[in-house]
Every structure is written in structure tokens, then in C-alpha cells.
Amino acid sequence: MQNFRNYFELLGVTQDASAEEIKRSYRQLARQYHPDLNPGNKDAEERFKLLGEAYEVLSDPEKRAQYEEYSSFWKQQGFRQRVSQFSFKSIDFSELGDFNTFVEQLLNRRNPTTSSSDPQVKEPSSRRNSDKPPSSRSRPSRSNSSSRRDAEASLTIPLERAYAGGQERIRLEDGRSLEVDMPPGMVTGQRIRLKGQGIGGGNLYLRIEVEPHPFFQIVDNDVFCRIPITPAEAALGGEITVPTLDGSVQLTIPAGVPSGKRLRLAERGYPIGRERRGDQIVEVEVVIPTQLSDRERTLYKELKAIETFAPRESLLTANRQLY
């Protein structure tokens, strides 16, 4: 089968692997091939994208079952037919000409036999979110019509809109302007099909590029951020306000927290499939003030005079033992 990708092999697990085994292997490999740890390495970047694609399919029980049924239907080596709790009798896999087509159907529509979940294309209106014209190129469609061609274009969007989805206005190089209801949880490298919007009635495939964010970073399906706190907040603990992709929330800082400590906001991360989310990882950074008021300087001096904390005591003890 053209373009077939063995997701189990990509993640280094067997077809019988549990959801926890798949998650553990994905996290380990995603860290290894993450673009931030492999700057300029295109092979690592491509591997990272494939790992994300594999995990999105295998971490969702219904998508995994459909992938296994598709694989055994096309008699892919190493795959075996298994009894599934999900019914896909209405799906005619023979209509899917190659593996990429199947993946587009699987990741962007719940039922690949219909197009009801495809992004909806509307006539341009006065309410527009983005005027960035995607770069597009056409490629032959598998249609019997010689005039029908699929086309590809890229769309760059901010992280907040990639997370939330919603209406995007797209201008194509051929002069057309489309308004499309985009799905939530889009990621860099994702391809979204716009049925019938290519050349001569072919399909248009949008490749998504998510702009880097000044505060949030997506790692696997978790959202990572770094939050500065004062020495007093670090010593005493308490609640602070933390931004998330859903708005600000309260986070409890434990007393005596060191700089670099990572705290977790459960299910405040990026979507995993349709019903789950990753976490938001908050790394605290204790920031020392560079300017003090007279009152603050006086209080710091009083604190210094009475404090019992001696962070260098062990160093002095070790130094005395050398002589």
C-alpha cells in the first residue's frame, strides 16, 4: 500500500501494546527527536511529526481499531485481523487509494465514509480572522477527470487560534478567498482537507504551521511555560495567577519551592484526540529584584540579621575536612 506507515513500529511497540506502553514510548521518543533538541535537523523534525501522528491514532481506541482493520484489509505485513468492539462495516477501504488519504480521513473525520466533519467552506463575509495568503501548489488528483486536480497550500496561524479552532479567512494564489471553519487543536505539519476546493473540483489540502509563542511551548501534548515568582512567594508559598490557553487560573505554590521546580496543571494542555487533553507544565523561576525601595532594603537587612537559613554551611564543613 503506497505511503503506508507502521505506527507500532514507529513507536517501537508491538500490536498488543497497552495504552500506557504506547504513551510511555511516545514520550521517550518525542523528547529524543523534539525540534528544540535537534535544531536544523530536518530528519529529526520529520520523525517528530510522524511520532505525533502515530500517537494520535494509537492513543485513541476507535482510531487504533480502524487503523488495524485498514492495515489487515490491505494485508500489510505484521498485521492481523482482530475482533474489535467498534463496527466499521460501512467503510469501504478499497475506495481509499493510498495511505495518506486514509490518514486524512481518520484524523479529520470521525466517520471516513462521509464528509460531514470536514472543515466547512463558506462564502467570504465581513468578519475575517486572517488575510494571510497561503502558498499553494497543485498535484494530480486520483479522479477519472483529467481536469480535476488536488492542490496544497500552507496556512500560518497563531497558537491561540490553532488551539481553539474556528473561522479562518484564506486567500489563495489563484485569487479566491475562502472562509473555513477549522478544527480545534491544530499542530504544525497537520494537513486538513477542503473537499472540492482544489482545481476543477479536486480537493485542497492545507498544511498547518503554528507560529512560535512568546510564552507557551507545546511539548508532546503538554503546554510548557515559565513563571517568575518573588523570593517571598518562593519562601512562603501561596496562590499565584497563571495564564493558560483557556484563560487565567490559580496555581498553589508550595512553601520553600526552589527555582526550576515544575508544577502541573492537569488537563490544561493540548487536545489528545477528541475527548482528552495533556497537562500544562509550569516551571517556577525565583527572580531577585534589582531595585529596592528604602522600606524594602530595610526589611531585607532585618531579615538577613535574623535568618537561620545557611545554604553554604555544607560547603564550609567539607572545606574544613580537607585541612
Side-chain angles (χ1 to χ4, degrees):
M1 173 52 53
Q2 187 180 14
N3 303 319
F4 180 77
R5 295 183 286 281
N6 188 327
Y7 290 148
F8 293 101
E9 188 175 278
L10 271 170
L11 293 178
V13 297
T14 66
Q15 191 180 352
D16 295 322
S18 66
E20 185 59 35
E21 289 173 327
I22 289 172
K23 180 179 181 180
R24 183 166 58 247
S25 181
Y26 166 70
R27 286 181 176 270
Q28 179 180 352
L29 291 170
R31 283 193 295 269
Q32 179 181 347
Y33 290 100
H34 196 280
D36 288 348
L37 301 180
N38 301 274
N41 188 332
K42 296 297 183 183
D43 291 337
E45 181 180 350
E46 185 61 28
R47 182 66 179 270
F48 181 77
K49 292 177 182 177
L50 290 176
L51 289 170
E53 179 182 293
Y55 182 69
E56 184 175 354
V57 171
L58 298 187
S59 64
D60 184 298
E62 184 173 344
K63 291 179 181 177
R64 175 176 175 174
Q66 191 171 326
Y67 169 74
E68 290 178 336
E69 184 166 337
Y70 174 93
S71 304
S72 60
F73 176 86
W74 287 106
K75 296 181 174 57
Q76 292 298 313
Q77 185 176 2
F79 285 87
R80 57 193 179 278
Q81 183 71 48
R82 298 198 300 188
V83 177
S84 172
Q85 60 178 312
F86 303 103
S87 175
F88 304 117
K89 293 180 180 179
S90 61
I91 302 174
D92 184 359
F93 290 118
S94 64
E95 292 183 353
L96 303 175
D98 59 21
F99 184 72
N100 282 343
T101 302
F102 166 72
V103 172
E104 291 303 320
Q105 302 262 9
L106 182 63
L107 298 185
N108 293 295
R109 297 190 299 173
R110 179 163 292 276
N111 184 348
T113 62
T114 70
S115 58
S116 59
S117 297
D118 284 344
Q120 295 184 6
V121 181
K122 302 177 181 179
E123 291 297 323
S125 68
S126 58
R127 294 181 299 175
R128 290 160 180 161
N129 293 328
S130 174
D131 289 328
K132 293 183 179 180
S135 59
S136 63
R137 68 181 189 274
S138 62
R139 59 181 176 84
S141 168
R142 301 186 68 89
S143 168
N144 292 329
S145 171
S146 60
S147 63
R148 182 176 299 178
R149 298 287 186 275
D150 287 352
E152 293 187 357
S154 61
L155 177 64
T156 302
I157 53 179
L159 175 61
E160 290 87 351
R161 292 218 300 272
Y163 166 75
Q167 193 175 89
E168 291 289 332
R169 182 171 180 264
I170 302 168
R171 285 182 176 174
L172 304 177
E173 287 188 344
D174 60 10
R176 289 182 297 149
S177 182
L178 306 175
E179 285 191 353
V180 183
D181 286 330
M182 306 295 281
M186 292 177 282
V187 295
T188 293
Q190 181 177 356
R191 293 170 75 246
I192 295 178
R193 186 184 73 162
L194 303 182
K195 188 174 182 180
Q197 296 300 316
I199 301 172
N203 297 323
L204 174 64
Y205 291 89
L206 289 180
R207 176 174 284 275
I208 302 301
E209 184 76 25
V210 181
E211 294 176 346
H213 196 276
F215 180 71
F216 295 118
Q217 180 183 358
I218 307 302
V219 181
D220 301 342
N221 288 101
D222 294 334
V223 175
F224 175 86
C225 68
R226 187 175 284 109
I227 293 288
I229 62 174
T230 68
E233 289 173 328
L236 302 175
E239 286 195 344
I240 63 172
T241 302
V242 176
T244 75
L245 288 171
D246 294 314
S248 297
V249 300
Q250 295 299 112
L251 173 65
T252 300
I253 300 293
V257 66
S259 190
K261 176 71 174 180
R262 294 187 174 187
L263 307 175
R264 186 179 299 271
L265 289 169
E267 297 185 355
R268 288 286 181 174
Y270 226 62
I272 305 174
R274 293 178 180 269
E275 298 177 355
R276 294 185 297 144
R277 291 177 60 178
D279 301 328
Q280 179 161 324
I281 309 300
V282 179
E283 181 178 302
V284 297
E285 179 182 8
V286 181
V287 179
I288 307 300
T290 58
Q291 294 183 335
L292 298 173
S293 67
D294 292 341
R295 175 61 174 161
E296 288 172 329
R297 186 176 299 276
T298 298
L299 291 175
Y300 268 109
K301 287 181 178 179
E302 293 178 3
L303 175 62
K304 183 179 179 181
I306 64 172
E307 65 184 356
T308 59
F309 180 50
R312 296 180 298 280
E313 183 177 4
S314 60
L315 297 177
L316 296 174
T317 301
N319 188 56
R320 286 194 295 266
Q321 291 175 349
L322 293 176
Y323 300 96

